[in-house]
Amino acid sequence: HPSVNMVSILSLPLPELSRKLQDGSLPPDHVFYAYVGKALQIATETNCITEYLEESETQLRKAKPEKLGLLYGVPVSIKDSINCQGHDSTLGFIKNINKPVAEDSVVVQVLRRQGAIPFVKTNVPQSLISFDCKNLIFGQTFNPLLYTRSPGGSSGGEGALIGGGGSILGIGTDVGGSLRFPAAFCGICALKPTGNRLSKKGVTAGVVGQKAVAAAVGPMAKDVESLALCMRALLCEDMFSLDSTVPPLPFNEEVYSGTRPLRIGYYETDFFTMPSPAMRRAVRETKQMLEDAGHTLVPFELANVDYVVFNFCVKGMFSDGGNSFLKNFKGELEKSSVGLLFWLARSPNWLRTVLSWIAKPFVPRLSSIVRSMRVNTVEEVWNLHHEIEEFCHQFIAQWKKLNLDVMVCPMLGPALRAGYPEKLSVAVSYTMLYNTLDFPAGVVPVTMVTDEDEEELKGYQGYFRDWWDRTLAKAFCGSVGLPVSVQCVALPWQDELCLRLMKEVETL
């Protein structure tokens, strides 16, 4: 298309692009091929795409301008684990190659009915239980901002593609931060909605059937308005009729576009993963700007995050001692991306008990992980679910006592060096807390790492001063100029309020 001005198409934000597609001033094929061209370039640079969905060209030709959906003509990228008819959902496992799925996931069906054109699938780490992004089939995905860095995971291909400008909207999943890590590492925005706000039918999980740590499907884009537009499009009659387990709650426009000043809780650390100097500064500066804009900020005291990480997250995900997780790897050649978990899952219970006991005085965190990964009885699993419910009610009570609307808190960053996330499974504490609670949480980039941050990082020791803390310090260093985000959180089902806070933070 010599007549297509690729640069001007690619520079349009989603709401504006969408308007131009709706009013006919931009033909859908111009937009489509502009993004296909750019996606190809970013894929060559970062290795983020696993498959091109050829049927997207057929869909493009059949697109009917008379019944326009909210996302008419918008090309959308889809994470590998979200089913697209006729294509593999590999999860990075060799055994899943050439096993095309029979039908689209509900989310993809709704996107198509809203006029969106799913055009590529994107890379993930093997098993999805990692916040890096590599597997034996497709290899390592790199961060578009700095190729020596990880794009985050497990929606890492999405993060790299959108962060590099090769997609304007993507759909990923999150069970421990898998939407929020790639967004933060690649300098874009993402929303992890309340677990059941968007349908998970036709979306494959890393550990199937576990209910302790809530997974969610959510959007990723360059800005908050694009996330809101995606949620508007997805929260429609089609979604509720295709999956009746999703509550029929349409997008609440009034809450999202509200203007009353908010009461916002905040904390700078969870006392488990020591924040990098840039993370701490990001929260402080955001707090100051929100105050200056007329909002009220209230300190929030987090307690017992270590208990949550080990007894709820690790124990919840691996209540069967990691057996389901192990089964996924049967016959696979590579298991390095989850080395420790894999090794523990294979050890007998008595060995775990001995190891936990030996490690306790020297490496208390390792001792706790080992202890949390034993096989539980049904009664113990039920007790765990009950305990998580109680914890959730206590957390909400503390929130209500302070009369908060929303919360702003740290997000792990800047992007870690490639290969490091797999060594730092404990660093998911900031994100995984909100999967355990099943609160909506989104990330917005607010600043970049400065020379001062880098200098201050030299004194970083962590709270435990163990191997993990030392490794995290190494993974952070040399990051001047990389983006740092904050996390915005709301109570369950208040996804629009979460987006509203994200919008305020982004605007300020």
Side-chain angles (χ1 to χ4, degrees), residues 318-389:
F318 306 106
S319 295
D320 62 351
N323 289 328
S324 316
F325 176 69
L326 266 185
K327 266 199 198 105
N328 289 334
F329 287 88
K330 205 169 175 187
E332 294 293 313
L333 297 167
E334 147 126 317
K335 304 152 181 107
S336 67
S337 62
V338 282
L340 174 68
L341 294 174
F342 190 79
W343 185 83
L344 284 174
R346 284 176 60 183
S347 312
N349 255 1
W350 67 266
L351 181 60
R352 293 182 212 179
T353 310
V354 172
L355 186 64
S356 165
W357 184 73
I358 294 171
K360 196 167 185 181
F362 311 106
V363 202
R365 286 202 281 186
L366 177 62
S367 169
S368 302
I369 285 183
V370 176
R371 203 174 55 246
S372 305
M373 277 198 64
R374 58 184 195 80
V375 180
N376 289 269
T377 64
V378 173
E379 187 187 3
E380 284 170 326
V381 174
W382 285 350
N383 284 337
L384 172 71
H385 290 173
H386 176 65
E387 209 186 327
I388 290 173
E389 275 172 28

Side-chain angles (χ1 to χ4, degrees), residues 26-275:
L26 258 182
D29 58 334
H30 287 200
V31 174
F32 180 79
Y33 288 110
Y35 271 100
V36 167
K38 184 66 178 175
L40 185 61
Q41 178 209 325
I42 298 301
T44 313
E45 292 169 11
T46 65
N47 186 33
C48 56
I49 290 175
T50 58
E51 212 171 342
Y52 173 57
L53 309 180
E54 284 177 28
E55 69 276 13
S56 54
E57 300 188 36
T58 316
Q59 197 192 331
L60 180 69
R61 283 196 297 275
K62 287 187 183 153
K64 299 260 194 307
E66 57 270 20
K67 62 176 218 349
L68 297 181
L70 279 182
L71 294 171
Y72 170 70
V74 175
V76 179
S77 46
I78 308 287
K79 181 178 181 173
D80 166 279
S81 58
I82 300 172
N83 289 352
C84 293
Q85 187 181 355
H87 298 275
D88 298 340
S89 294
T90 68
L91 276 69
F93 287 123
I94 291 168
K95 63 158 135 334
N96 295 337
I97 296 178
N98 294 335
K99 292 198 178 151
V101 301
E103 69 170 347
D104 282 337
S105 55
V106 167
V107 174
V108 170
Q109 289 182 54
V110 177
L111 284 169
R112 291 194 201 279
R113 292 186 190 187
Q114 285 284 12
I117 303 174
F119 76 118
V120 287
K121 290 197 85 176
T122 54
N123 205 21
V124 295
Q126 184 188 31
S127 85
L128 306 185
I129 310 292
S130 164
F131 64 106
D132 202 351
C133 192
K134 74 163 198 205
N135 57 65
L136 269 191
I137 311 169
F138 303 106
Q140 171 82 47
T141 298
F142 302 99
N143 191 311
L145 308 175
L146 187 61
Y147 298 156
T148 55
R149 299 280 153 155
S150 166
S154 62
S155 316
E158 283 301 323
L161 185 60
I162 298 165
S167 170
I168 197 165
L169 179 64
I171 306 292
T173 62
D174 187 311
V175 77
S178 290
L179 281 158
R180 290 161 287 162
F181 280 114
F185 284 13
C186 299
I188 60 172
C189 298
L191 172 71
K192 175 201 85 67
T194 311
N196 213 29
R197 191 77 198 262
L198 297 177
S199 172
K200 289 179 272 199
K201 196 171 170 220
V203 178
T204 318
V207 178
V208 180
Q210 72 81 21
K211 292 273 188 276
V213 184
V217 172
M220 302 171 75
K222 281 263 164 115
D223 55 64
V224 180
E225 196 54 62
S226 303
L227 302 177
L229 176 58
C230 182
M231 291 298 282
R232 259 181 223 119
L234 288 173
L235 295 171
C236 63
E237 239 1 275
D238 284 329
M239 163 98 51
F240 311 137
S241 64
L242 286 166
D243 183 354
S244 300
T245 66
V246 172
L249 288 173
F251 189 83
N252 190 329
E253 214 55 68
E254 205 178 314
V255 171
Y256 174 61
S257 52
T259 52
R260 71 175 176 82
L262 298 168
R263 230 178 121 77
I264 305 168
Y266 73 96
Y267 55 88
E268 288 180 14
T269 177
D270 64 4
F271 299 105
F272 181 83
T273 306
M274 185 180 275

